[in-house]
Amino acid sequence: MKQIAFLRLILQTGKVAGDVQRKTPILVESEETVEMALNRHGTYALMFSCPAPFKAVAGKLGPIFISSGYWIYVGSAFGPGGLRSRLSHHLKPSHRPHWHLDYIKSALRPVELWTTTDPVKREHDWAAVLSALNGASRPIRGFGATDCTCRSHLIHLPRLPDFYRFTMQVCREIPVHGPLSRFDLTKEAFIA
């Protein structure tokens, strides 16, 4: 049996500007909904703690410096295997690095995972919302963002962001955004 960390899914309906409906997050835990979410396509924010600073060489980006604190990698999984396949890759050691994250993840500790199965790729929106949080920065230009105009899809924060506040901000900026899920990777092992 697969062990899956906690999922918190938000599904409260509220009204926005006239009769338009939107989904607003409310916390619910269910292993069954975790399985359903992982078997679909979507967008994710994978959060890591970094207890000590280090240097790495991230492929064509070259030498980079990772400071202590929290690092959030935002991406999307719309290819074969969806979220399960992509997250399984990101949470296991990489013998042949493919994504920028593969070059640094072994020195980081995964702590949380936020996802949405919204059919629209939301990685650029999420990176923008996360980078606007108090204390956030995107110090490594191009990290995870070589195929778009974003500065970076890797965000540094001095402390772990609040999921509820993030979902409220996302719902304000994108009223048609789908439900969001939260996995606490410190409680149990995430085995995809």
Side-chain angles (χ1 to χ4, degrees):
M1 181 172 157
K2 295 179 182 178
Q3 294 178 335
I4 298 183
F6 293 102
L7 168 71
R8 304 190 196 275
L9 183 63
I10 305 185
L11 298 169
Q12 175 184 352
T13 302
K15 289 197 175 200
V16 180
D19 293 332
V20 177
Q21 299 288 314
R22 79 167 177 190
K23 293 177 180 158
T24 308
I26 295 195
L27 303 177
V28 174
E29 293 180 3
S30 165
E31 190 167 309
E32 185 177 311
T33 52
V34 172
E35 281 296 325
M36 289 187 321
L38 291 175
N39 289 323
R40 297 178 63 192
H41 297 121
T43 300
Y44 60 90
L46 189 52
M47 299 176 196
F48 298 91
S49 74
C50 180
F54 66 94
K55 291 181 182 178
V57 177
K60 292 180 182 179
L61 286 180
I64 59 173
F65 177 74
I66 303 295
S67 59
S68 59
Y70 289 90
W71 289 89
I72 304 165
Y73 182 73
V74 182
S76 60
F78 285 85
L83 287 165
R84 180 180 305 280
S85 176
R86 182 65 53 86
L87 295 169
S88 178
H89 175 87
H90 287 331
L91 293 169
K92 292 178 185 173
S94 295
H95 303 292
R96 283 181 274 161
H98 178 71
W99 286 283
H100 290 141
L101 183 60
D102 295 341
Y103 294 95
I104 64 169
K105 66 186 182 184
S106 64
L108 304 172
R109 186 176 63 90
V111 293
E112 284 193 5
L113 168 63
W114 299 352
T115 66
T116 183
T117 55
D118 190 303
V120 176
K121 289 183 180 183
R122 299 291 186 191
E123 63 187 296
H124 311 297
D125 300 323
W126 283 25
V129 169
L130 288 164
S131 65
L133 295 174
N134 190 25
S137 65
R138 294 197 253 187
I140 305 169
R141 183 179 293 279
F143 196 102
T146 55
D147 60 348
C148 69
T149 59
C150 293
R151 175 178 172 81
S152 178
H153 284 193
L154 185 68
I155 295 102
H156 178 260
L157 283 160
R159 63 187 172 283
L160 197 60
D162 181 81
F163 177 69
Y164 183 75
R165 287 185 181 167
F166 172 75
T167 56
M168 292 295 102
Q169 185 63 32
V170 165
C171 289
R172 275 194 291 278
E173 294 188 22
I174 311 163
V176 296
H177 196 289
L180 291 100
S181 305
R182 176 183 175 264
F183 297 81
D184 183 343
L185 300 177
T186 65
K187 302 262 187 223
E188 296 181 39
F190 178 90
I191 302 171

